[in-house]
């Protein structure tokens, strides 16, 4: 009988962690060099990536050692419920939507759409969902774009960017 959770052998998250670290290191290598410096803005992301590779390798070795008692994937009873599976698919779909369309659509419209859809899906009313989505988007945009100076995409709102 399966438990209530979805469980993975440590080799799976270890492998994913190494793949993520490699992608992160490759992306950091594209950062511009500082003139006259032996190191640049890629140093810390690269060091973090190396640390993630070490952690991923440890997880893989643990997974190999546990392979007799821990299956690669054990899916819990929750996966038998279509609503639960749909929730997971919707969250992952929203992440993919944001990655693919936020540059052209913009952070604010993307965030409003994603938050409203997910809040409604998870049981909030239309009115509550819209209010929470607007407030959350405003707070996130203010903190990241205005306080932390992270450039968020304006997309279709570029003509009215503030």
């Amino acid at each position: 009988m399966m438990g209530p959770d979805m469980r993975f052998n440590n080799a799976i998250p270890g492998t994913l962690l190494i793949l993520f670290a490699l992608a992160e290191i490759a992306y950091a290598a594209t950062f511009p060099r500082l003139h006259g410096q032996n190191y640049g803005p890629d140093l810390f992301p690269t060091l973090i990536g190396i640390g993630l590779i070490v952690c991923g390798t440890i997880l893989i070795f643990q997974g190999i050692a546990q392979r007799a008692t821990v299956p690669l994937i054990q899916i819990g009873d929750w996966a038998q419920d279509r609503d639960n599976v749909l929730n997971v698919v919707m969250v992952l779909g929203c992440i993919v939507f944001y990655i693919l369309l936020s540059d052209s659509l913009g952070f604010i419209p993307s965030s409003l759409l994603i938050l409203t859809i997910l809040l409604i899906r998870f049981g909030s009313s239309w009115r509550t969902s819209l209010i929470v989505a607007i407030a959350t988007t405003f707070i996130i945009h203010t903190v990241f774009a205005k306080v932390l100076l992270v450039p968020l995409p304006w997309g279709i709102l570029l003509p009215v960017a503030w």
Side-chain angles (χ1 to χ4, degrees):
M1 185 171 169
M2 289 193 210
D5 305 300
M6 176 180 239
R7 296 185 181 149
F8 297 98
N9 181 297
N10 282 350
I12 292 177
T15 302
L16 294 175
L17 192 60
I18 289 173
L19 291 173
F20 173 78
L22 292 172
E24 185 248 346
I25 290 169
Y27 181 69
T30 67
F31 293 172
R33 286 279 178 205
L34 298 175
H35 181 69
Q37 297 281 337
N38 291 333
Y39 57 88
D42 65 326
L43 176 65
F44 286 114
T46 301
L47 292 175
I48 290 169
I50 291 168
L52 292 175
I53 289 172
V54 170
C55 292
T57 303
I58 292 168
L59 286 172
I60 289 173
F61 281 116
Q62 286 177 345
I64 291 170
Q66 298 171 338
R67 71 182 180 277
T69 58
V70 179
L72 277 180
I73 299 175
Q74 181 180 10
I75 299 175
D77 296 334
W78 68 269
Q80 304 305 317
D81 183 352
R82 286 181 181 229
D83 285 339
N84 289 335
V85 173
L86 181 59
N87 289 344
V88 170
V89 169
M90 285 186 68
V91 169
L92 294 175
C94 285
I95 292 169
V96 171
F97 171 85
Y98 184 82
I99 290 169
L100 296 177
L101 297 175
S102 65
D103 281 340
S104 58
L105 189 58
F107 171 79
I108 292 173
S110 298
S111 177
L112 288 173
L113 186 62
I114 289 169
L115 289 172
T116 303
I117 288 171
L118 290 178
L119 287 166
I120 290 169
R121 172 67 190 156
F122 296 143
S124 294
S125 69
W126 277 93
R127 182 177 178 194
T128 302
S129 297
L130 283 172
I131 291 169
V132 170
I134 290 168
T136 303
T137 299
F138 175 75
I139 291 168
I140 291 171
H141 187 271
T142 300
V143 169
F144 280 88
K146 303 300 179 188
V147 177
L148 299 174
L149 302 177
V150 174
L152 297 175
W154 282 99
I156 60 174
L157 296 179
L158 186 59
V160 294
W162 64 86

